[in-house]
Amino acid sequence: MAGGEIRGGYMGKLLRVNLSTGETWDEPLDLERATMYIGGSAMGGRILLDEVPPGVGPFDEENRLMFLSGPFSGTSVPGSGTYTVVTKGPLTNQAATAQSNGWFGARIKAAGYDGIIIQGIAPNWVYLVVNDGVVEIRDASDVLGRDTQETQTYLMETLGLPKASVACIGAAGETMVLYANISSDFAHFASTNGIGAVMGSKKLKAIVIKGSKPIPVADPEGMRKLGLEDLRKVGEIDKKTGWSIQGTTGVLAWCNEVAALPVHNMRKTHHPEAWKIDGERLNNARVATYGCPNCTMRCGITILDYEGRESELDYENIGMLGSNLDIFELDQVASLNYLCDDYGLDTISAGAVLAFYADAIEQGAIKGDFRFGDAEMAKKLLGMAARREGEIGNLLADGSLRMARKIGHNSEAYAMQVKGLEISAYNCKFIPGMALAFGTSPIGAHHKESWVITFELKQTARDSYGPEKAAKVIELQRIRGGLFEFIVACRFPWIELGWDLEHYAEYFNKTTGLNWTLNDFWKVADRIYALMKFFWVREFPFWDRTRDYPPMVWFDPNNADTEGPIAGKVLELDKYNQLLDYYYEQRGWDKRGIPTRKTAEALDLKKEAAEVEKFTKLE
Amino acid sequence: MSGMNIRITVKLIGPFVNQLGFSEKTMEFPAEATVESVLSSLPLDPKRPRIVTRNGQAVAPGEKLNDGDRLAVSPLYSGG
Ligand code: SF4
């Protein structure tokens, strides 16, 4: 049962930075709040609700950009160099949360902080240096215009801090492309929902962080032992199962088999040439392997791209920049991925935007030279988007929903996004549960919140819209969108190696000195989901369930596959509505998809519910 | 196709490719072959969780196979 006093896992303070005034100050961490929201996305979501009132735009001074650790960051938990960025993101105009692995999260703690909260807009471009608690805002004119990898090397060398971590934006963040990301520790990215554009809007090019402070934990010996033992076991299981041979990219061949691969702007679900870009080919082309600190899985697979540069690929990159664009040359996909990483563009949104553009041209909704399968043109377009070059660059830079609204001709129906955020690499035209997961994700469509597809295809009938699918979506949202996002640790050991979740409760208790069970975590997860919904409703008081719909093209019989496993099949709207009803009922939300007063009270959100009632009446 | 046999294509996914040493193979099996009988003829660890599809649809182990069926065997991915 929850309760008791926190005795470890936190450094006890947040670094506040106001870029408008140049002030920086330390703020004690509210430990009572930490027991309600733990860290990472939940803590950030709470702060966002308190400090960013409705109507504040993502690029306004009042928006906050938070780099948050969690109790596990920097501890002996496998995969715990992780951090989470939380802000109001420009694609959805709502809460954006993005997690990134690497070292940066551990270094936030080692520098003496639980998180860094940026507000304001600097008069000129700056970068922030946090070196063991000494904080400086420095002029960034010599770093401006450098790509993400070069920025990191340059700053570490110039500052003489080889053991620092740098989080920075590239060209796309500088020009505020609405799907610009933040790069850190070279091969890692906090990517979703234009958080890099928010960093750019604040004229903050980079944060350099270094520290040597020990991280207090309630049971240091217990943590050390457990951590060492688990690191060994994680490595052993990985070796035995062979998961890291292909890493996440093994999913590509599977999605192609079960008709879930994004092909041709998700109009198709499989392709005879998909094997050319699958995990097997990737592993064969591997030139290097990368990992994170304190992890024995080492899941990053790097190959040489078409131009001969190293590019690290995972399934989402290949699905969105490869098959979804009908590009089936692995080295060309690697080139597109390389460019995204260099410019600082989210690969999922970038792939979706290019595919939507090609589709709109094919449908005759807009004139243009880009065709599916044209890798060279795709490279040019990425550069134009990143630099916001000309009319086309600016069109592409604003994400698929805004593009569709500019293009018109009913193109919004095939802009593959939910709530403004592009759908990641799972084509759900006939996968109702996974479509529900995309539809109800509070940050817009993203697979990180709930990956229900294997459960759905293995344990239920594919065409079922039953309550068991809603239940599984919620279960996974609690774990993936909840637990791993607020304890702040890489979810791969649990996800891919079948690591027991109870381990995380054990780690949590040894770290904090609390005595929690998994049920306590689920309550925090439900609380943050309710809070995020309140955040939406505060902005859109006439909220209704249609906002939890996936793109309409998935319901369009004209869009059904003409051959293959799901020929003639698409989602059915009546049945999807039934599935949404199950989902809302199980969450204790009303038919609009808003938490009821009773649900809010059970989640200790009575005050917040009263606040939301100023905007809309709760049931 | 020889005599009473049926031809089944087995597609392996992810680390199963390395474990069994092939990616895709078309093989002959007796006409009464089921999903289970085909899988048990392969050196797959039966305790390892997996998802098996026939022609892109999940299939129960006892189901009888038809000539030309494609069986895909994948570990239970959880989506990065
Ligand atoms: S599993 Fe991969 S991403 Fe996660 S911590 Fe290990 S190396 Fe990093």
Side-chain angles (χ1 to χ4, degrees):
Chain A
M1 202 21 235
E5 218 174 84
I6 291 177
R7 289 188 285 117
Y10 296 90
M11 304 308 284
K13 61 183 181 186
L14 296 166
L15 172 61
R16 291 275 188 170
V17 179
N18 184 335
L19 290 173
S20 297
T21 61
E23 287 167 288
T24 68
W25 67 100
D26 290 354
E27 180 183 279
L29 182 78
D30 179 344
L31 284 180
E32 202 179 308
R33 178 174 276 191
T35 52
M36 285 201 53
Y37 296 98
I38 315 293
S41 65
M43 180 77 86
R46 173 74 250 188
I47 295 171
L48 209 62
L49 192 84
D50 290 345
E51 299 187 18
V52 180
V56 169
F59 300 146
D60 290 347
E61 272 191 304
E62 298 95 307
N63 191 14
R64 302 292 192 262
L65 177 66
M66 300 174 241
F67 295 78
L68 299 166
S69 69
F72 287 8
S73 306
T75 66
S76 55
V77 179
S80 55
T82 310
Y83 69 104
T84 300
V85 179
V86 183
T87 189
K88 191 171 191 183
L91 280 174
T92 64
N93 249 317
Q94 276 295 311
T97 69
Q99 207 178 64
S100 175
N101 295 315
W103 286 256
F104 195 87
R107 289 194 169 124
I108 294 177
K109 297 267 277 284
Y113 296 103
D114 294 301
I116 304 170
I117 304 178
I118 316 278
Q119 65 194 76
I121 295 176
N124 297 299
W125 281 92
V126 293
Y127 64 90
L128 184 70
V129 183
V130 185
N131 189 355
D132 247 335
V134 180
V135 182
E136 271 180 281
I137 300 173
R138 293 192 171 202
D139 175 65
S141 34
D142 56 334
V143 206
L144 212 59
R146 292 178 193 264
D147 65 48
T148 57
Q149 310 299 298
E150 199 192 335
T151 298
Q152 295 178 56
T153 317
Y154 176 81
L155 284 174
M156 286 159 82
E157 278 172 9
T158 312
L159 297 169
L161 296 173
K163 294 228 165 100
S165 277
V166 181
C168 70
I169 53 172
E174 289 180 23
T175 59
M176 290 156 46
V177 174
L178 300 196
Y179 45 96
N181 64 15
I182 296 173
S183 167
S184 50
D185 296 314
F186 298 101
H188 298 278
F189 297 87
S191 256
T192 316
N193 201 350
I195 56 177
V198 175
M199 193 158 164
S201 76
K202 300 201 169 301
K203 292 204 164 69
L204 178 64
K205 175 72 179 170
I207 298 178
V208 185
I209 196 155
K210 185 180 166 288
S212 56
K213 296 189 174 32
I215 295 158
V217 292
D219 176 2
E221 192 43 31
M223 281 296 281
R224 200 187 62 83
K225 264 202 195 142
L226 197 61
L228 279 176
E229 205 180 295
D230 282 357
L231 265 185
R232 185 181 52 78
K233 281 192 204 153
V234 164
E236 272 171 21
I237 303 176
D238 185 32
K239 229 188 210 123
K240 195 164 157 235
T241 59
W243 182 78
S244 295
I245 298 172
Q246 294 185 18
T248 59
T249 64
V251 171
L252 193 137
W254 183 70
C255 283
N256 195 46
E257 286 296 320
V258 300
L261 191 69
V263 179
H264 209 87
N265 193 31
M266 298 203 179
R267 287 192 183 271
K268 298 179 187 156
T269 59
H270 52 280
H271 197 281
E273 289 183 84
W275 65 271
K276 293 182 180 169
I277 54 169
D278 71 7
E280 218 182 311
R281 263 30 66 177
L282 185 78
N283 181 44
N284 292 342
R286 180 196 300 253
V287 292
T289 303
Y290 288 104
C292 300
N294 214 24
C295 180
T296 37
M297 285 170 73
R298 296 181 63 75
C299 67
I301 304 174
T302 297
I303 65 167
L304 295 182
D305 74 3
Y306 186 75
E307 285 78 17
R309 303 162 298 198
E310 282 196 10
S311 176
E312 188 187 329
L313 288 160
D314 64 25
Y315 168 63
E316 298 296 330
N317 315 140
I318 304 180
M320 297 309 287
L321 295 168
S323 57
N324 202 33
L325 292 170
D326 296 11
I327 295 173
F328 296 101
E329 296 141 279
L330 194 54
D331 55 355
Q332 289 286 30
V333 179
S335 291
L336 294 172
N337 181 64
Y338 178 94
L339 290 176
C340 284
D341 289 357
D342 241 31
Y343 295 135
L345 288 169
D346 174 35
T347 51
I348 294 173
S349 286
V353 160
L354 291 184
F356 171 67
Y357 183 51
D359 201 354
I361 293 170
E362 200 168 270
Q363 304 299 321
I366 185 173
K367 285 196 171 56
D369 296 329
F370 184 44
R371 299 286 177 274
F372 283 104
D374 186 348
E376 291 305 327
M377 188 63 167
K379 288 180 205 171
K380 266 191 213 142
L381 291 173
L382 283 179
M384 287 166 76
R387 291 184 294 270
R388 282 191 175 271
E389 215 172 273
E391 211 178 306
I392 295 175
N394 271 297
L395 178 75
L396 299 174
D398 283 345
S400 47
L401 178 62
R402 285 165 185 81
M403 283 171 77
R405 289 186 178 158
K406 271 188 212 153
I407 292 171
H409 298 282
N410 296 324
S411 59
E412 201 172 319
Y414 55 89
M416 302 310 289
Q417 51 76 38
V418 179
K419 300 183 177 77
L421 183 68
E422 283 77 17
I423 294 173
S424 32
Y426 305 95
N427 192 346
C428 301
K429 69 161 88 164
F430 191 52
I431 312 178
M434 190 67 203
L436 179 74
F438 280 136
T440 56
S441 159
I443 56 164
H446 205 287
H447 65 286
K448 86 174 165 80
E449 297 289 308
S450 181
W451 205 82
V452 71
I453 186 169
T454 32
F455 164 85
E456 184 165 20
L457 296 190
K458 183 175 163 69
Q459 289 174 35
T460 67
R462 186 167 182 155
D463 57 0
S464 150
Y465 292 73
E468 75 289 352
K469 289 197 179 174
K472 193 68 182 181
V473 168
I474 294 171
E475 181 193 324
L476 289 173
Q477 285 176 337
R478 283 178 178 147
I479 300 170
R480 296 173 59 112
L483 179 66
F484 283 97
E485 296 279 322
F486 58 67
I487 56 174
V488 191
C490 176
R491 56 185 181 261
F492 283 5
W494 164 71
I495 279 185
E496 301 296 0
L497 301 189
W499 206 235
D500 196 337
L501 275 180
E502 293 288 350
H503 265 265
Y504 293 93
E506 199 180 342
Y507 274 121
F508 184 77
N509 294 334
K510 284 190 170 15
T511 302
T512 60
L514 297 172
N515 185 24
W516 279 36
T517 65
L518 288 176
N519 280 336
D520 297 313
F521 289 134
W522 308 152
K523 188 168 177 185
V524 177
D526 288 351
R527 183 178 295 139
I528 190 63
Y529 260 61
L531 213 60
M532 298 254 259
K533 211 37 165 313
F534 284 165
F535 196 73
W536 277 101
V537 171
R538 220 172 52 161
E539 205 93 27
F540 301 99
F542 300 108
W543 184 272
D544 69 81
R545 60 169 52 214
T546 62
R547 290 178 186 272
D548 289 341
Y549 283 178
M552 282 297 122
V553 75
W554 279 348
F555 299 100
D556 179 0
N558 295 322
N559 187 50
D561 282 4
T562 51
E563 43 71 47
I566 57 166
K569 305 265 180 55
V570 284
L571 297 180
E572 291 172 60
L573 191 53
D574 285 359
K575 291 181 179 170
Y576 183 81
N577 268 318
Q578 173 68 65
L579 189 56
L580 260 186
D581 281 340
Y582 291 135
Y583 176 89
Y584 293 153
E585 270 162 38
Q586 290 174 29
R587 276 213 171 274
W589 296 0
D590 66 21
K591 295 244 178 226
R592 296 170 296 173
I594 303 175
T596 63
R597 216 172 291 131
K598 195 169 148 219
T599 300
E601 278 171 25
L603 296 170
D604 312 310
L605 295 173
K606 195 172 173 185
K607 229 174 66 214
E608 291 74 8
E611 186 61 26
V612 170
E613 297 236 42
K614 290 182 191 157
F615 300 87
T616 194
K617 207 167 154 38
L618 298 186
E619 277 184 15
Chain B
M1 199 174 115
S2 72
M4 300 291 286
N5 284 355
I6 54 173
R7 286 168 74 81
I8 305 294
T9 300
V10 176
K11 164 76 185 150
L12 298 175
I13 289 169
F16 291 152
V17 175
N18 304 73
Q19 280 160 15
L20 271 67
F22 71 92
S23 168
E24 185 173 327
K25 220 190 235 180
T26 302
M27 294 173 269
E28 291 202 1
F29 292 93
E32 63 279 8
T34 61
V35 174
E36 204 166 16
S37 69
V38 168
L39 293 183
S40 59
S41 75
L42 303 170
L44 282 162
D45 174 2
K47 287 200 283 280
R48 173 100 191 258
R50 62 194 179 205
I51 178 164
V52 183
T53 55
R54 176 179 51 180
N55 306 328
Q57 304 287 2
V59 65
E63 289 234 6
K64 211 189 131 324
L65 294 170
N66 298 319
D67 187 45
D69 275 352
R70 181 178 172 87
L71 271 192
V73 190
S74 171
L76 272 187
Y77 281 108
S78 297

